[in-house]
Amino acid sequence: MQALADLTGLHIHVSHFPPGTSKWNKIEHRMFSFITLNWRGRPLVSYETIVHLIGNTKTRTGLKIKAKLTRRKYPKGIKIPNSEMAKLNLVPADFHGDWNYSLLPRGN
């Protein structure tokens, strides 16, 4: 994201939701209520079934959801060296700067 901020000149604000708080994410909340309605009463017997039901979720107001299954494994516990973190033009937010911050373009 730092490279994107540098390239575009944009200030990129990042907000992370703590684990277990996705209910506060308004986008997720809106999406999952309709997904749940769409797959109600249908047996979720495979990943393919689940992805198909999610991907066919639509509303009368125009919400369309796309879904794709990936079996990629993501490594856990990756540590970014302090030397790399020091290169970021990262500005913590006033409220929970450990979860919310901005990446500003670096001067070249």
Side-chain angles (χ1 to χ4, degrees):
M1 282 193 289
Q2 181 66 66
L4 180 63
D6 293 344
L7 180 68
T8 61
L10 294 173
H11 293 201
I12 300 174
H13 182 78
V14 179
S15 294
H16 297 277
F17 287 97
T21 59
S22 65
K23 65 184 175 189
W24 295 336
N25 182 331
K26 292 179 183 180
I27 295 170
E28 282 187 38
H29 187 74
R30 181 173 180 227
M31 283 178 22
F32 284 112
S33 63
F34 288 107
I35 291 169
T36 303
L37 288 172
N38 191 43
W39 70 19
R40 182 180 45 194
R42 297 197 175 124
L44 305 176
V45 295
S46 67
Y47 289 128
E48 289 75 17
T49 300
I50 294 168
V51 170
H52 177 75
L53 289 169
I54 292 171
N56 283 311
T57 301
K58 297 178 180 114
T59 67
R60 282 181 259 142
T61 58
L63 175 70
K64 295 178 188 172
I65 297 174
K66 293 183 182 182
K68 178 182 170 186
L69 177 64
T70 179
R71 296 190 184 269
R72 180 177 173 187
K73 297 202 186 272
Y74 293 91
K76 297 179 185 177
I78 295 175
K79 301 290 182 190
I80 307 299
N82 289 339
S83 59
E84 288 297 312
M85 289 297 291
K87 294 177 185 176
L88 301 176
N89 192 5
L90 191 143
V91 179
D94 292 335
F95 179 73
H96 277 282
D98 51 339
W99 292 85
N100 305 291
Y101 51 88
S102 293
L103 287 159
L104 308 181
R106 294 178 286 203
N108 294 330

